[in-house]
């Protein structure tokens, strides 16, 4: 018997939208990610309950291993995967690490709560795992991860409030809700004060993402549309708001930091509605045991994390989401009677196809990072294309093509500066000026685009504009004062001194 549940239908519609309505064509080198996530979901939905049980323990062991790696990185026994952060686990930066550990921690908190009053070695083991996971979240410094972990406590609190209401203990409900509100407010203020600039920066990203949604609210931009258009919208925002308090917070942005808004930008309000529908349906799930209840809690923690981060852009976290949503017993919609033999054969055929596609595509993906001649395979992969656009070792025959394709996939201040440089070398001064100005509007707190614009005026003999713009640069205070910015300002000062002597 094949049970088609509501999440199968809703996710099926979302996947169809992702593949059929696209701003950027499907990237062949990334097919392994889709296949991997699909395989995880297929296994979570089709495998026997005991397989999902052991898979849950494997994921939990993975989380413990991440904490061990965190400790080793803290002690500087092994290096992290990011030059700016000491702790990343096996992830690229601390954000996804903290989110992953926080999602697991929320589930473990539920297990510990359910085992309260049971004093045995297993309860002690669960408490130890919970402490380790929480330590990993705190060490990562991820506020979104902390919110995900706190979801476990919030779920327990809500269940308690429901119980008190059923017992008609209204005064107790009021007191505990007021206390919880005070605690929540205090925690929110503390989390904001830890990194206020980062929090305000997210507000800027959300504001511009809402502008993307408002321009195409029904169908959205299509898959890849957010990455291809966000920085252009940010540039337009600062061009029309030159004195905005967000200027010193702005930077090149690669993620929307809210997956619901991300879906809305690329697939419009219908896409948002389908995803929110899944979340609403999760509140109707009635777990059959403690493990199912913990998986549901982790699912809600994942949703909380996704409101402030970018888990769908991290393939391992996306696979975790597929496992969580596939393991939950959402309401069934209809049943299909399939003979047992056909069911098993179909299961292995689908599994074989997804595995083969994933392995083959992953091989191309790994080669693409080292061989620019495989351009036809990775031409729609923004990460690989961006890397090659910054490399000076790329063959001249491919450089211009890669740069222009990258400017379509993921434009940012650096890419537009490179486009300006390319056009200046060709003598296209007007086009070069357009690119430099756009690069400056994208990240107004950076001096490099302004300096390049100053050099452009000198190159085309417009000395008066160079003098005027040079003086503006000297009065400009960049976000980060470095030896490079000091050298640029020093060169401008030297030029202006010579100009003043001539005058």
């Amino acid at each position: 018997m094949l049970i088609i549940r509501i999440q199968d239908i809703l996710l099926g519609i979302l996947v169809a939208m992702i593949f059929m309505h696209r701003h950027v064509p499907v990237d062949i080198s990334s097919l392994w990610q889709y296949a991997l996530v699909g395989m995880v979901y297929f296994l979570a939905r089709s495998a026997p309950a005991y397989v999902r049980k052991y898979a849950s323990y494997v994921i939990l062991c993975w989380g413990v291993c991440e904490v061990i790696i965190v400790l080793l990185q803290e002690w500087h026994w092994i290096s992290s995967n990011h030059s700016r952060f000491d702790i990343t686990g096996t992830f690229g930066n601390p954000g996804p690490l903290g989110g992953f550990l926080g999602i697991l921690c929320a589930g473990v908190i539920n297990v510990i709560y359910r085992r309260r009053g049971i004093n045995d070695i297993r309860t002690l083991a669960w408490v130890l795992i919970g402490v380790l996971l929480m330590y990993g979240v705190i060490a990562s410094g991820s506020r979104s991860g902390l919110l995900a972990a706190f979801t476990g406590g919030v779920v327990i609190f809500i269940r308690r409030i429901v119980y008190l209401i059923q017992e008609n203990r209204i005064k107790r409900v009021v007191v505990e809700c007021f206390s919880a509100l005070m605690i929540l407010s205090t925690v929110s203020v503390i989390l904001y004060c830890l990194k206020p600039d980062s929090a305000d920066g997210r507000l800027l990203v959300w504001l511009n993402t809402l502008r993307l949604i408002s321009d195409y609210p029904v169908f959205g931009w299509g898959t890849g549309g957010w990455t291809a258009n966000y920085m252009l919208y940010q540039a337009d925002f600062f061009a029309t708001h030159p004195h905005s308090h967000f200027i010193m917070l702005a930077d090149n942005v690669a993620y929307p930091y809210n997956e619901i808004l991300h879906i809305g930008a690329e697939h419009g309000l219908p896409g948002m509605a389908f995803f929110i529908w899944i979340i609403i349906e999760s509140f109707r799930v009635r777990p059959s045991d403690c493990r199912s209840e913990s998986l549901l809690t982790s699912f809600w923690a994942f949703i909380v994390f996704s409101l402030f981060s970018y888990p769908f852009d991290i393939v391992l976290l996306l696979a975790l989401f597929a496992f969580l949503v596939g393991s939950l017993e959402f309401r069934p919609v209809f049943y299909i009677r399939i003979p047992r033999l056909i069911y098993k054969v179909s299961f292995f055929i689908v599994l074989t196809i997804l595995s083969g596609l994933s392995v083959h595509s992953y091989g191309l993906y790994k080669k693409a990072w080292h061989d620019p001649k495989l351009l036809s395979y990775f031409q729609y992969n923004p990460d690989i294309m961006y890397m090659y656009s910054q490399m000076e070792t790329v063959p001249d025959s491919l450089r211009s093509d890669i740069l222009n394709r990258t400017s379509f996939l993921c434009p940012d201040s650096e890419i537009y500066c490179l486009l300006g440089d390319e056009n200046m070398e060709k003598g296209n001064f007007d086009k070069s000026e357009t690119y430099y100005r756009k690069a400056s509007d994208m990240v107004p707190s950076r001096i490099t685009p302004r300096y390049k614009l100053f050099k452009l005026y000198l190159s085309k003999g417009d000395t008066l504009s160079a003098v005027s713009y040079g003086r503006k640069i000297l009065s400009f205070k960049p976000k980060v004062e470095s030896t490079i910015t000091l050298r640029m300002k020093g060169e401008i000062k030297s030029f202006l001194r010579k100009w003043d002597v001539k005058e």
Side-chain angles (χ1 to χ4, degrees), residues 15 21 25 62 130 137 166 184 189 254 262 288 325 395 477 482 493:
V15 169
H21 178 46
W62 172 22
V137 175
Q166 292 172 345
L184 185 62
V189 171
H262 192 183
S288 57
V325 74
K477 184 178 180 181
S482 64
K493 282 181 182 178

Side-chain angles (χ1 to χ4, degrees), residues 104 247 415:
L104 297 187
I247 283 179
I415 295 298

Side-chain angles (χ1 to χ4, degrees), residues 185-410:
S185 301
T186 303
V187 170
S188 299
V189 171
I190 291 173
L191 291 177
Y192 174 82
C193 292
L194 287 175
K195 295 179 182 177
D197 288 349
S198 175
D200 291 342
R202 276 172 166 77
L203 291 177
L204 171 65
V205 176
W206 296 341
L207 175 64
N208 285 310
T209 301
L210 287 172
R211 292 175 60 225
L212 265 81
I213 295 173
S214 66
D215 282 350
Y216 292 94
V218 179
F219 298 108
W221 289 83
T223 305
W226 186 91
T227 306
N229 291 281
Y230 174 80
M231 287 303 295
L232 301 178
Y233 271 69
Q234 182 166 293
D236 178 66
F237 176 83
F238 287 121
T240 54
H241 300 83
H243 304 295
S244 170
H245 69 280
F246 286 120
I247 283 179
M248 297 308 290
L249 304 175
D251 206 338
N252 289 320
V253 180
Y255 307 108
Y257 297 100
N258 186 301
E259 293 298 356
I260 293 181
L261 292 180
H262 192 183
I263 293 171
E266 297 193 338
H267 301 291
L269 297 178
M272 293 177 70
F274 285 126
F275 187 75
I276 293 172
W277 191 349
I278 294 174
I279 299 173
I280 293 173
E281 287 289 341
S282 72
F283 294 112
R284 301 176 64 180
V285 173
R286 295 295 176 263
S288 57
D289 53 27
C290 180
R291 186 188 65 83
S292 300
E293 193 175 77
S294 297
L295 288 174
L296 180 60
T297 302
S298 289
F299 172 81
W300 287 332
F302 190 104
I303 297 301
V304 170
F305 179 66
S306 73
L307 297 179
F308 304 95
S309 194
Y310 47 93
F312 290 169
D313 284 286
I314 309 298
V315 64
L316 293 177
L317 292 183
L318 185 56
L320 176 63
F321 174 79
F323 175 78
L324 291 173
V325 74
S327 298
L328 296 177
E329 297 176 354
F330 283 75
R331 66 180 174 92
V333 179
F334 57 88
Y335 303 85
I336 301 176
R337 291 187 177 278
I338 300 177
R340 184 180 297 272
L341 179 61
I342 295 178
Y343 180 84
K344 288 185 176 180
V345 171
S346 301
F347 176 85
F348 285 109
I349 288 175
V350 173
L351 196 61
T352 301
I353 292 173
L354 290 174
S355 301
L357 179 62
S358 182
V359 171
H360 177 70
S361 177
Y362 184 72
L364 289 174
Y365 175 79
K366 294 297 288 184
K367 290 179 182 177
W369 286 95
H370 307 287
D371 188 358
K373 294 179 182 178
L374 294 174
L375 177 62
S376 60
Y377 292 103
F378 65 78
Q379 60 182 319
Y380 299 118
N381 186 309
D383 296 327
I384 299 177
M385 290 294 287
Y386 192 89
M387 179 199 69
Y388 280 121
S389 71
Q390 308 292 309
M391 291 176 60
E392 297 180 359
T393 56
V394 174
D396 293 337
S397 58
L398 296 175
R399 178 178 297 279
S400 181
D401 187 27
I402 287 178
L403 189 57
N404 281 287
R405 289 176 184 270
T406 307
S407 69
F408 166 72
L409 293 174
C410 50

Side-chain angles (χ1 to χ4, degrees), residues 169-182:
R169 298 168 65 181
I170 304 303
K171 289 184 179 179
R172 187 68 179 175
V173 169
V174 172
V175 171
E176 293 198 8
C177 284
F178 179 76
S179 302
L181 181 62
M182 295 299 295

